[in-house]
Amino acid sequence: MTESTTLRVIRISALYDLVITAGFALPWTAVLVFGGLAQAHEALGLTGITPSPDDVFTVMFANLMGSIVVVWAVFRILRPTIAAGVADTTARLLFSVGMATALLNGATALTGVLLALELAWAVVQGGAVLAHRRRATASV
């Protein structure tokens, strides 16, 4: 895979992250996102629990995660690098462990959708980075 194609995958991955996590970056938007998740959860008749907008620690940790991911996403959009793709793929796998643990411990089944998307992006981006590295190594 060419470097420009790999960097495009990294940038698109970052755009996805920005869209998905921007709502978690601020307290008032996180509360709205939690409300939307609860509504979707109930409308679909799912089992499990959703995040509580009344729990100050839940909102605070959502804000920490959201703000860091937003900044990291903007960085990768503006300056995508192979190293950033490797780091982000690693972070996706770590996030996936957390999501899987939450899912196994009673989180809403909507978490499974987010987990599937996170793993899909880890495979797509990780595959692009590995293909690029193989091509770069083969041409040496």
Side-chain angles (χ1 to χ4, degrees):
M1 184 170 292
T2 66
E3 184 171 359
S4 65
T5 301
T6 303
L7 296 178
R8 190 174 311 117
V9 168
I10 292 166
R11 187 176 278 126
I12 293 168
S13 160
L15 284 168
Y16 164 81
D17 287 346
L18 185 59
V19 169
I20 293 297
T21 60
F24 293 102
L26 300 169
W28 46 90
T29 57
V31 168
L32 293 174
V33 172
F34 289 166
L37 286 172
Q39 286 179 341
H41 173 86
E42 288 187 27
L44 295 169
L46 300 175
T47 60
I49 59 171
T50 58
S52 172
D54 298 324
D55 183 345
V56 67
F57 290 108
T58 298
V59 174
M60 181 189 72
F61 282 109
N63 296 155
L64 290 171
M65 180 275 303
S67 59
I68 289 169
V69 174
V70 164
V71 170
W72 174 238
V74 171
F75 176 81
R76 288 179 292 131
I77 290 166
L78 298 175
R79 296 184 184 266
T81 64
I82 301 302
V86 170
D88 189 65
T89 300
T90 303
R92 288 186 185 285
L93 295 172
L94 291 170
F95 269 94
S96 295
V97 169
M99 287 184 208
T101 301
L103 193 57
L104 291 171
N105 286 286
T108 175
L110 291 172
T111 307
V113 174
L114 295 172
L115 174 58
L117 290 167
E118 200 65 27
L119 289 171
W121 274 112
V123 169
V124 169
Q125 184 173 248
V129 168
L130 284 174
H132 169 73
R133 291 209 184 244
R134 285 188 188 125
R135 183 170 188 237
T137 303
S139 67
V140 173

